[in-house]
């Protein structure tokens, strides 16, 4: 997993549009140094979309970002999370404690909450999958030790008042935001669309700097689901996208196309590597497919994605899984 780095930054708030503020919050990950929460004007307070990860000092970061745009935690009237990853919902309990607001999130959050309910079991399962995927024992044990030493990134359990599903409307002074399910990055992922202002809160589904991630093991085909979810947002009328990381961007269609192209590139890479080698484990496919992106701190993250890619290709009938352990794939 991504290695923790020392926090040198604090939260920052800035107005993006009248009634919409970006709250940029530091993260302890070298590859992903910030996340965004979004404040939407709502009556005498704000609706908050996402809230950052719980870390020592992180609530103060959120407070500082809010203060910079004229609000306090007590002004949060509703907290909505785009998906159940800790950098998006980690501080939910702390925000609720201060503001008394409700939390709305998609009901398929077990990819986070089941792991929190039994961390040792969740870690054991990941170790088992990594072993089956051909990861050698020494780096695997080192990774597991590092994981054991990390916090959960959560300020408390999720206390959910309402399932964030299509048909649910998030009210703001700019108008209503409509929910679209966009699984793939995570089974619980949704985006919020404001049709009159043509705005999209895209979470991690479509990012300004294209990068992909899929939760593995909770749904049959995260890569296929992600591609379907790209079609969902591509059909929306959007002039400005407010994403979970990075700056707002205008060319949603271009970013959707870029995301599709990157998926294709990775799938082509997996197929080419399997053709060249005849057969390989998911772990053995990492160097040919990811090249110098592969590093000790990214390996677990890339392996998760690789499993999603090979399983997608297996479903499509272009690769097949061979008998025996560790899991090996060959061209079909
Ligand atoms: Zn995420
Ligand atoms: Zn994120």
């Amino acid at each position: 997993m991504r290695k923790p780095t020392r926090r040198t930054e604090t939260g920052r708030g800035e107005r993006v549009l009248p009634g919409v503020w970006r709250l940029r919050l530091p993260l302890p990950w070298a590859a992903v140094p910030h996340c965004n929460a979004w404040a939407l004007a709502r009556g005498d307070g704000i609706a908050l979309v996402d809230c950052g990860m719980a870390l020592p000092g992180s609530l103060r970061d959120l407070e500082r970002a809010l203060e910079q745009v004229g609000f306090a935690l007590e002004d949060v009237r509703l907290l909505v999370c785009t998906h159940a990853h800790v950098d998006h919902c980690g501080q939910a309990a702390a925000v609720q404690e201060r503001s008394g607001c409700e939390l709305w999130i998609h009901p398929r959050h077990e990819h986070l909450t089941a792991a929190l309910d039994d961390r040792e079991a969740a870690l054991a399962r990941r170790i088992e999958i990594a072993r089956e995927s051909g990861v050698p024992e020494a780096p695997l044990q080192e990774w597991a030790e590092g994981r054991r030493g990390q916090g959960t990134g959560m300020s408390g359990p999720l206390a959910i008042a309402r399932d964030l599903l299509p048909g649910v409307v998030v009210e703001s002074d700019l108008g209503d935001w409509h929910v679209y399910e966009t699984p793939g990055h995570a089974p619980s992922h949704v985006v919020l669309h404001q049709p009159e202002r043509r705005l999209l809160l895209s979470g991690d589904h479509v990012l300004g700097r294209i990068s992909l991630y899929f939760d593995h093991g909770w749904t049959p085909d995260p890569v296929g689901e992600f591609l379907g979810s790209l079609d969902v947002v591509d059909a929306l009328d959007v002039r400005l996208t407010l994403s979970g990381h990075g700056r707002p961007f205008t060319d949603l269609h271009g970013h959707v196309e870029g995301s599709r192209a990157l998926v294709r590139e990775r799938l082509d890479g997996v197929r080419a590597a399997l053709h060249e080698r005849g057969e390989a484990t998911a772990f053995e496919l990492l160097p040919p497919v990811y090249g110098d992106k592969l590093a000790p701190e990214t390996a677990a993250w890339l392996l998760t994605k690789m499993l999603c890619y090979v399983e997608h290709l297996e479903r499509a009938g272009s690769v097949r899984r061979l008998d025996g352990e560790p899991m090996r794939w060959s061209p079909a």
Side-chain angles (χ1 to χ4, degrees), residues 161-176:
R162 189 161 181 191
D163 288 341
L164 195 60
L165 289 165
V168 172
V169 160
V170 176
E171 293 174 1
S172 77
D173 292 359
L174 272 78
D176 291 347

Side-chain angles (χ1 to χ4, degrees), residues 1-2 22 31 39 55 64 67 76 79 83 132 134 149 176-177 192-193 222 241-242 289-290 303 308 321:
M1 204 56 201
R2 302 152 187 164
R22 175 187 176 203
L55 300 157
R64 195 175 284 121
E67 281 163 17
V76 180
L79 172 60
H83 62 298
E132 287 170 358
D176 291 347
W177 297 73
L192 298 171
H193 183 228
T241 301
L242 315 170
V289 173
Y290 284 108
L303 180 66
C308 295
R321 192 180 152 182

Side-chain angles (χ1 to χ4, degrees), residues 82-88 185-186 189 203-205 213 215 245:
T82 58
H83 62 298
H85 280 163
V86 292
D87 48 331
H88 299 262
H185 173 79
H189 204 291
D204 287 355
H205 178 45
Y213 180 77
D215 273 327
H245 303 266

